[in-house]
Amino acid sequence: MRKRGFWIKGIAAGTALSLSLITAGCGKKEKKDQTAENTAAMTEISSETATETATEEATEENPTEESTEKSGETGTEEGITPGDGRETGFTSDDQILNYLEGAWEFCPYGFDAPEGEEVDLSFTQAQGSCSFLKRSDASFVSGGIILGKTSDELAASDMFTLTITDITRDFCDAPEELKGVSTDFQFMMGLMEGRDVLILRQLGNGDSALVHKTFLDDTACWDGCWLFVRSRDLAFSDQQMDEWRKKDQDFYAFMWMDSGDKICLQAVSGKERDIDWYGETVPAVLWSLSETEERPYQIVTYWLKDGEQFAHPGSFQPGLVHVKTDAEGCLTELTRMEYLGFGAYRQGFSRQEEDPDYRSPAVYEAHDTLFLGDWRYAGQFDGSMSIEAASPQVGGYHLEITLSFEDGSRADISADAHIEGGLLVIHSGSVKGEDGKEAYGVAGSVKITDVGAEVVFTESPDSRLRPEEVFTFFR
């Protein structure tokens, strides 16, 4: 195919489709040394940060249902290095901080940050603090953290309150507005092959100033989570994975990556209870690291039974699921929980799903993150594409595409599309004539790649929209 257009913007959400289950994704090998160098710098920053002003209470913008103080335990277990993955019962606050210690690389939208826009998150256990550092100019924000729980029922802390105590002038547009701000984050971390992974999710109603005024704004990947990684020189055999798989069981797990035929899962402790959700009694699940798992941080690859036809390159899709396995450890059922808020997930499906127009997050959310929004044509002539959510009855997506051509002509395309193999497939499209009415029909697809959103028209009587033409858009 002959590609039309060129890539302009550095961040492309579509990189998701190029991730592989084992080696791709964030934490590029060439960045490893640079990350290590920044660890020392960020530790020095954290050491200078006064942590006594850290508060257990969230700001008015970020209330939590329940929180508890950090436990009084001190010290770390002898012989354990941060993120070792060999821990047994590592669910105390000090053990959690021991795992978090060090530098993590931020992955906007769940993908590698463009060169020059890298940000590192660093935790310092001894100081009880964390820092965000921009590699490009060494600007930073730092503060004290206090671990806590979204519910006293949980087996381990699943949140921390960060109170900003220090910020450089160049870190954001209005640094004076951030100092003293407290933000509650839910967190989860685990060990995959070749890397540690960490997610943060803001708790509460609305975005705090820390989120709204910094790189965190509008860069979450799935379920409102921000992804961080660090490289690890570890490999696991399928025999090891098989030993760790739960067989003939049903359990809650945190799903990290979905490749269709295989899913990366971390078994968690789930607490089921009814909660009052804006006047409605809702069956919910609260979850945290499991105190009963021998390897609570280990992420295990599970194969979907008879799922070979669903295989795809894989993408990070962090969130809570409930699964069942057979005697061989293959997944026979997987139900993604619907995130409500304050760290809680709804059990099963929402009553709204009885409505034929309801778009289930379990079905659409990953593709919504990749495709929805306004796109600009990257070619020589003017053009745009708007992708909006639509009823599942018409496929779940509606597209409006405008293209201009060298001869001065223009094509206005209106189409409905559905999800198929990671693509948006146009099953009902039409091109408008000069009178604004439908002139002829078209079919095609939209694919997210490392250069943007590529549109191909597979069926069209219009010579301007030939199948060998690839129209590239960016946002």
Side-chain angles (χ1 to χ4, degrees):
M1 291 185 179
R2 182 156 54 95
K3 296 191 177 184
R4 301 186 61 171
F6 52 90
W7 182 235
I8 295 177
K9 193 171 181 182
I11 298 177
T15 312
L17 299 180
S18 65
L19 289 170
S20 72
L21 182 66
I22 296 176
T23 60
C26 302
K28 292 180 179 177
K29 188 173 182 180
E30 59 267 25
K31 293 183 180 178
K32 189 181 289 186
D33 292 339
Q34 189 175 9
T35 300
E37 291 173 2
N38 279 297
T39 302
M42 297 173 76
T43 301
E44 184 177 348
I45 291 169
S46 298
S47 298
E48 296 171 355
T49 301
T51 59
E52 62 271 13
T53 58
T55 174
E56 297 173 53
E57 297 179 359
T59 60
E60 192 171 290
E61 290 175 296
N62 300 283
T64 57
E65 272 189 309
E66 304 173 50
S67 63
T68 60
E69 281 194 17
K70 178 183 175 185
S71 69
E73 300 173 335
T74 60
T76 58
E77 190 169 329
E78 185 177 355
I80 297 298
T81 57
D84 202 322
R86 296 181 289 110
E87 305 87 348
T88 299
F90 256 27
T91 55
S92 73
D93 283 358
D94 280 308
Q95 292 162 333
I96 288 172
L97 286 170
N98 183 36
Y99 193 102
L100 290 172
E101 174 110 25
W104 301 76
E105 182 180 349
F106 175 55
C107 298
Y109 309 104
F111 319 122
D112 288 329
E115 186 174 354
E117 298 182 25
E118 299 92 342
V119 177
D120 288 332
L121 166 65
S122 176
F123 291 90
T124 305
Q125 181 177 8
Q127 302 295 328
S129 64
C130 74
S131 306
F132 294 102
L133 172 73
K134 292 184 179 180
R135 294 186 191 173
S136 59
D137 59 6
S139 63
F140 69 89
V141 60
S142 61
I145 59 172
I146 296 178
L147 297 191
K149 299 179 181 179
T150 52
S151 170
D152 288 333
E153 302 174 59
L154 298 179
S157 292
D158 68 330
M159 62 160 285
F160 64 80
T161 299
L162 165 63
T163 301
I164 297 173
T165 56
D166 199 7
I167 182 170
T168 58
R169 182 175 300 176
D170 297 332
F171 188 81
C172 65
D173 292 337
E176 66 281 354
E177 296 183 28
L178 268 65
K179 199 162 187 178
V181 167
S182 293
T183 303
D184 289 343
F185 291 103
Q186 187 180 32
F187 64 87
M188 184 62 174
M189 62 281 193
L191 173 64
M192 294 182 72
E193 184 163 3
R195 61 194 166 206
D196 289 320
V197 287
L198 166 70
I199 61 101
L200 300 183
R201 174 197 281 124
Q202 185 182 348
L203 297 169
N205 296 321
D207 291 336
S208 72
L210 174 61
V211 173
H212 183 63
K213 294 185 177 296
T214 70
F215 62 91
L216 293 171
D217 188 38
D218 193 31
T219 54
C221 51
W222 176 282
D223 248 0
C225 299
W226 292 283
L227 178 70
F228 300 80
V229 304
R230 63 184 173 198
S231 297
R232 296 288 305 282
D233 188 16
L234 282 177
F236 305 119
S237 67
D238 192 64
Q239 181 179 355
Q240 286 177 299
M241 286 290 175
D242 189 61
E243 292 174 359
W244 299 331
R245 290 180 186 121
K246 293 180 176 294
K247 300 175 180 178
D248 199 20
Q249 296 186 43
D250 61 280
F251 57 97
Y252 285 107
F254 194 80
M255 182 171 78
W256 287 96
M257 183 172 282
D258 179 4
S259 293
D261 60 337
K262 50 189 175 182
I263 315 292
C264 291
L265 300 176
Q266 181 178 1
V268 298
S269 172
K271 300 294 183 182
E272 300 178 353
R273 65 181 177 93
D274 290 341
I275 64 173
D276 184 343
W277 190 252
Y278 295 100
E280 177 186 3
T281 300
V282 174
V285 182
L286 300 169
W287 58 278
S288 68
L289 284 169
S290 174
E291 60 184 348
T292 60
E293 291 294 318
E294 183 178 352
R295 302 171 63 89
Y297 298 106
Q298 186 65 55
I299 299 170
V300 179
T301 299
Y302 285 83
W303 293 91
L304 181 66
K305 188 175 180 63
D306 301 323
E308 293 82 1
Q309 69 272 27
F310 302 120
H312 57 76
S315 61
F316 281 104
Q317 297 185 17
L320 187 67
V321 296
H322 186 269
V323 298
K324 291 185 179 181
T325 59
D326 61 15
E328 296 180 346
C330 291
L331 292 174
T332 56
E333 292 183 25
L334 186 149
T335 303
R336 178 180 279 277
M337 302 290 103
E338 179 186 355
Y339 183 65
L340 292 172
F342 300 103
Y345 281 80
R346 186 193 300 266
Q347 292 183 48
F349 295 103
S350 164
R351 289 187 304 176
Q352 291 175 296
E353 290 189 294
E354 298 175 7
D355 181 351
D357 292 326
Y358 176 67
R359 301 175 79 256
S360 169
V363 176
Y364 293 103
E365 188 165 4
H367 288 78
D368 285 357
T369 300
L370 294 176
F371 290 98
L372 293 185
D374 294 324
W375 299 76
R376 292 174 56 195
Y377 182 46
Q380 181 179 0
F381 304 100
D382 290 338
S384 64
M385 176 172 64
S386 173
I387 304 179
E388 300 177 344
S391 168
Q393 298 184 75
V394 296
Y397 296 91
H398 181 75
L399 291 73
E400 293 288 337
I401 303 173
T402 298
L403 291 168
S404 297
F405 300 92
E406 186 175 4
D407 62 2
S409 63
R410 169 174 163 163
D412 293 311
I413 303 152
S414 181
D416 292 324
H418 64 275
I419 299 169
E420 188 174 310
L423 307 177
L424 287 192
V425 176
I426 298 173
H427 59 259
S428 177
S430 62
V431 177
K432 300 175 183 177
E434 293 182 359
D435 59 359
K437 297 181 179 179
E438 179 180 342
Y440 49 86
V442 294
S445 64
V446 184
K447 178 182 180 181
I448 300 296
T449 71
D450 58 355
V451 296
E454 296 186 344
V455 179
V456 175
F457 296 98
T458 54
E459 298 178 22
S460 169
D462 192 332
S463 61
R464 300 171 302 174
L465 308 176
R466 297 188 300 270
E468 66 269 20
E469 299 282 1
V470 178
F471 299 91
T472 301
F473 295 80
F474 71 95
R475 62 180 177 186

